Amino acid sequence: MFLIALSPILWLIIALSVLKIAAYKACPIALVIALAAGIFVNDMTIPHAVEATLEGVALACWPILLVIIAAIFTYNLTLQTKAMDTIKKMLTSVSNDRRVLILLIGWV
């Protein structure tokens, strides 16, 4: 039972690392494997399986979309307020060495 529940993850590991299948092709196959395991092994009804699939997609997309929207908002805000110019002046006054600036930006 444990290996059947683990089979979609094992499929992704094998497909992505050993078989070198693209993620956009391997993930739907893993979804089908998970649905089949839920329906046939765990006696899940098809409406519950579809509902669980949609909930999983929503829970996976929500944090990613939230971060993307926040990053776009912050970027547009810095462009509108000209804060990017202030940040650029401040960073270039620290050092002329680009390696130091990259380390500073990476750390922040």
Side-chain angles (χ1 to χ4, degrees):
M1 187 76 116
F2 177 75
L3 286 177
I4 294 173
L6 196 62
S7 61
I9 297 171
L10 292 175
W11 160 253
L12 283 175
I13 291 171
I14 291 169
L16 295 174
S17 62
V18 177
L19 302 175
K20 305 282 192 231
I21 298 175
Y24 73 92
K25 292 178 182 177
C27 288
I29 297 172
L31 176 63
V32 170
I33 293 171
L35 282 171
I39 291 170
F40 297 117
V41 176
N42 295 326
D43 297 325
M44 183 182 252
T45 63
I46 292 176
H48 283 120
V50 171
E51 182 182 335
T53 301
L54 293 176
E55 184 179 358
V57 168
L59 289 175
C61 289
W62 176 250
I64 296 168
L65 292 174
L66 190 65
V67 168
I68 291 171
I69 290 170
I72 291 172
F73 173 75
T74 305
Y75 177 71
N76 287 334
L77 185 68
T78 57
L79 287 181
Q80 291 293 324
T81 61
K82 307 282 191 222
M84 195 58 78
D85 295 332
T86 307
I87 294 170
K88 184 190 276 187
K89 287 178 191 175
M90 184 180 64
L91 284 176
T92 54
S93 68
V94 171
S95 174
N96 289 333
D97 191 2
R98 288 184 179 219
R99 295 172 293 184
V100 173
L101 293 176
I102 290 172
L103 286 173
L104 181 65
I105 292 170
W107 182 75
V108 170

